[in-house]
Amino acid sequence: MARSTQRPKFIFVVGGVLSGVGKGVSSASIGAILKAKGFHVTAMKADPYINVDAGTMNPTEHGEVFVTDDGDETDQDMGNYERFLDVDLTSINYMTTGRVYQTVIDRERSMGYKGKCVQVVPHIPEEIIRRIKRAQQHSKSDVVIIEIGGTVGEYENILFLEAVRELKLHSPEDIAIVLVSYLPVPGHLGEMKTKPTQHAQRALNQTGLHADMIIARAPIELDEVRKEKLAMLCGINKGYSISAPDVESIYEIPLKMEEQDVGNKLLKVLHLKPRKTNLEAWKKFVAGIKHTKKDVRIAVVGKYFGTGDFTLADSYISVIEATKHAAQFNKVHAVLEWVDSEEFETNPGHLQHLKKYDGIIVPGGFGTRGIEGIINTIRFARENKIPYLGLCYGMQLASIEFVRNVLGKTGAHTVEADDSAEHPVIHVSPFQKANIQANRYGGTMRLGAYDCALRKGSLARKAYGQDIISERHRHRYEFNDAYRKEVDDAGLRIVGINPETGLVEIVELADHPFFVGTQFHPEFKSRPMRPHPLFREFIRAAAK
Ligand code: GLN
């Protein structure tokens, strides 16, 4: 698409008061609206932590690690941008403080600063600006939306804000700043309070910036009185206080924003002419969700504990969204329930409780905790013909279950859990062995998109309608070729193979309504209006 503005425009989205109130979805929704106005839009996330990527962070503390096609381990918000904008992003769209510093230090080591004293200011903001401009150039976008992690007033993100200040100094007409703030309604007062948001705007002012628009996240709608109060006390134009109450489905948010003309208001800040928005597809999608009556109950079985600040919904957000997209396609409503696999280790009788579910998902995971409970779950799904979708670990453990209980090799295991397993059905490649021995954990898994050739006549082949597909990976262990033929002959068909390496990518049961395990993570590529084929068929089977 040709660029439709003369100069690229940048919208920065910052947070106030609390994090975790929907800054990512707000950014993604603004992007969706501008895209629906015909602009070419891309999005970026700037995360304040020192980690070079999200791959080394515990998902129960930080949320899901979202993997891009080019194998970057990023923040879960990148998934929101991909889903709302229907684009594939890359590592160019993601930066952390660690990554920015790493580049500057590497450049210094190679004399890139030609003998100058390298300083936090100006060199760090300069590198941040370089990355923002690179993302714009790479995608040839009219508008780049940049979400800055955390909240204003923290030490952590100050250099990102300084970069915005400098950028704005050079091209004030090309920058808009949106503050996503939380407006509490204290129970004993029963009234929405704007004061914390006023403080957030002031904290932003101290960095030399001023929000043009405030998105007021709250349990309820922002009333006229508070809209005016926010406008006056935070010094924004009337009409730029945007009501953003909790909604049933996040996919309503672009519509809610569009009702308040958020898109054209931002265009005005960016010195662009107003444009019509075509959100018909979104409207249809949201109306579909609202009219869906039939429930399908899905158990998501894994090891769940100590989720810190984040909830399970954060750790598995792409799985949840992919399930919702597929459910909407099949005109059902997916009710996901988190089932702790450890329960089936201490009380195997409780497996019977799984009968009430229409389908079972075992999502990705690491480590040994709860693993036997997951294997028991998979056996239950296989024997009772409950639709089963195994994602990464869910595929590896399904293979182990099959070798143990169908082939009778009780010593089958993954070397991740038992490095001297009698039957290492899931093992580690020599290449990965070296990484583990040298403690090289950051960015060394099998990451990103790889091709997969599908076997003719398989369920997977029918679902995709293609011979070769490409899917995203994030794992260290692999199916051991030594067990391939036996497993396949006995009925757990190896139906997806990487054409270059011969690695096993998909297994499926021949004699079962739906039993599929993937070494990759299909959930990363599902889009609201383009559900992933395997999720789509899984939900179809579950709805039967
Ligand atoms: N722990 C397994 C591995 O590293 C599976 C990883 C996952 O489920 N993402 O191979």
Side-chain angles (χ1 to χ4, degrees):
M1 199 190 299
R3 284 242 322 273
S4 38
T5 70
Q6 292 117 338
R7 288 198 312 264
K9 304 285 179 177
F10 302 90
I11 301 175
F12 290 90
V13 180
V14 299
V17 184
L18 285 185
S19 63
V21 294
K23 208 160 15 109
V25 171
S26 299
S27 307
S29 299
I30 290 171
I33 290 173
L34 295 178
K35 188 174 173 183
K37 286 183 181 292
F39 289 103
H40 191 170
V41 185
T42 195
M44 274 187 101
K45 175 85 194 256
D47 263 328
Y49 42 73
I50 303 286
N51 302 60
V52 170
D53 57 43
T56 51
M57 280 187 279
N58 185 343
T60 57
E61 276 169 31
H62 182 73
E64 173 185 86
V65 177
F66 186 81
V67 181
T68 56
D69 269 338
D70 64 339
D72 199 5
E73 298 174 283
T74 73
D75 185 83
Q76 57 175 6
D77 282 323
M78 292 278 284
N80 285 323
Y81 310 156
E82 285 206 350
R83 289 186 281 271
F84 278 70
L85 290 172
D86 198 6
V87 290
D88 293 325
L89 301 176
T90 69
S91 61
I92 286 179
N93 301 78
Y94 182 61
M95 68 174 131
T96 66
T97 296
R99 198 169 279 194
V100 170
Y101 270 83
Q102 198 174 48
T103 311
V104 170
I105 293 170
D106 286 347
R107 192 178 292 136
E108 183 274 328
R109 291 288 78 187
S110 58
M111 282 308 279
Y113 291 99
K114 300 189 168 58
K116 263 203 233 131
C117 172
V118 183
Q119 293 177 292
V120 168
V121 178
H123 298 109
I124 298 297
E126 187 182 280
E127 171 58 20
I128 293 169
I129 292 171
R130 187 190 69 85
R131 285 170 174 264
I132 292 170
K133 290 191 170 165
R134 182 180 61 162
Q136 184 278 321
Q137 283 154 4
H138 177 81
S139 56
K140 300 188 178 63
S141 295
D142 306 313
V143 185
V144 188
I145 303 189
I146 306 105
E147 180 191 349
I148 298 180
T151 49
V152 294
E154 291 171 27
Y155 286 141
E156 281 204 315
N157 54 22
I158 209 88
L159 292 168
F160 290 115
L161 298 174
E162 172 60 15
V164 182
R165 192 190 67 82
E166 289 178 21
L167 206 60
K168 191 163 175 169
L169 212 58
H170 291 120
S171 42
E173 299 188 348
D174 301 333
I175 311 283
I177 299 172
V178 177
L179 173 67
V180 179
S181 188
Y182 186 70
L183 282 84
V185 185
H188 63 290
L189 297 176
E191 182 191 313
M192 191 190 268
K193 304 305 279 182
T194 62
K195 190 75 60 92
T197 301
Q198 298 173 36
H199 283 291
Q201 177 74 303
R202 277 193 205 137
L204 191 58
N205 290 163
Q206 280 168 7
T207 67
L209 298 174
H210 190 82
D212 301 293
M213 173 180 278
I214 293 176
I215 297 194
R217 282 287 298 116
I220 52 171
E221 294 271 6
L222 188 67
D223 60 19
E224 283 309 315
V225 176
R226 258 140 290 250
K227 267 187 192 172
E228 282 187 20
K229 206 166 163 184
L230 266 189
M232 181 166 90
L233 297 170
C234 296
I236 57 174
N237 280 336
K238 219 175 138 233
Y240 281 66
S241 323
I242 306 300
S243 175
D246 291 344
V247 282
E248 227 172 281
S249 158
I250 53 169
Y251 300 110
E252 283 177 52
I253 294 171
L255 302 180
K256 274 274 184 200
M257 285 188 174
E258 178 56 16
E259 278 168 22
Q260 300 173 74
D261 211 16
V262 164
N264 282 338
K265 286 174 182 168
L266 286 172
L267 292 186
K268 194 166 173 203
V269 176
L270 295 169
H271 294 257
L272 294 173
K273 287 197 198 73
R275 282 193 190 180
K276 282 215 173 65
T277 321
N278 181 356
L279 281 170
E280 288 317 307
W282 281 94
K283 282 187 193 151
K284 246 179 90 187
F285 184 73
V286 171
I289 296 174
K290 296 211 156 165
H291 291 136
T292 301
K293 295 275 176 309
K294 186 181 166 189
D295 282 352
V296 168
R297 291 180 79 180
I298 307 292
V300 188
V301 184
K303 53 152 192 184
Y304 305 131
F305 62 97
T307 51
D309 279 352
F310 281 80
T311 61
L312 288 168
D314 279 308
S315 308
Y316 297 103
I317 180 164
S318 293
V319 175
I320 298 171
E321 295 310 315
T323 309
K324 283 193 207 160
H325 307 158
Q328 196 40 50
F329 182 90
N330 285 294
K331 299 199 167 31
V332 292
H333 177 69
V335 182
L336 294 182
E337 285 176 37
W338 308 98
V339 180
D340 192 337
S341 60
E342 278 184 295
E343 181 187 331
F344 305 131
E345 294 174 359
T346 39
N347 299 301
H350 285 184
L351 280 167
Q352 294 302 324
H353 297 169
L354 290 171
K355 280 222 162 103
K356 65 177 185 224
Y357 295 104
D358 302 305
I360 296 176
I361 293 177
V362 171
F366 294 84
T368 55
R369 189 161 163 160
I371 199 172
E372 294 302 323
I374 299 179
I375 294 174
N376 292 342
T377 300
I378 298 172
R379 177 179 197 164
F380 193 83
R382 179 175 58 77
E383 292 180 345
N384 291 282
K385 304 220 182 299
I386 302 174
Y388 174 76
L389 183 59
L391 310 169
C392 203
Y393 219 14
M395 170 272 198
Q396 298 177 349
L397 299 177
S399 308
I400 292 164
E401 187 281 317
F402 190 83
V403 175
R404 281 190 192 176
N405 301 320
V406 177
L407 298 178
K409 297 184 162 117
T410 49
H413 220 325
T414 164
V415 300
E416 181 173 358
D418 175 6
D419 53 15
S420 55
E422 185 191 352
H423 291 288
V425 175
I426 304 299
H427 71 161
V428 54
S429 63
F431 158 75
Q432 280 298 347
K433 223 174 239 166
N435 282 333
I436 295 171
Q437 271 160 6
N439 282 347
R440 276 195 302 263
Y441 290 113
T444 59
M445 281 190 247
R446 183 165 175 242
L447 289 169
Y450 285 93
D451 281 351
C452 170
L454 302 175
R455 191 196 282 185
K456 280 215 167 57
S458 66
L459 217 146
R461 170 68 185 74
K462 278 181 218 143
Y464 280 98
Q466 267 168 266
D467 292 325
I468 303 275
I469 53 149
S470 167
E471 292 280 6
R472 299 181 193 170
H473 294 246
R474 181 170 186 259
H475 56 105
R476 213 173 283 286
Y477 301 88
E478 305 284 353
F479 188 99
N480 184 344
D481 258 349
Y483 295 88
R484 198 157 136 180
K485 186 167 183 318
E486 253 182 304
V487 164
D488 192 279
D489 288 349
L492 186 65
R493 306 265 189 255
I494 313 286
V495 299
I497 295 285
N498 175 259
E500 284 90 41
T501 55
L503 288 172
V504 172
E505 309 281 34
I506 310 178
V507 298
E508 67 180 47
L509 268 186
D511 183 25
H512 193 285
F514 188 98
F515 187 104
V516 176
T518 62
Q519 184 57 86
F520 50 81
H521 289 272
E523 67 270 24
F524 292 142
K525 288 185 64 165
S526 181
R527 303 281 161 84
M529 285 148 248
R530 270 192 304 126
H532 190 282
L534 293 179
F535 275 89
R536 191 191 70 214
E537 293 312 305
F538 165 68
I539 294 290
R540 195 199 301 276
K544 261 188 194 153

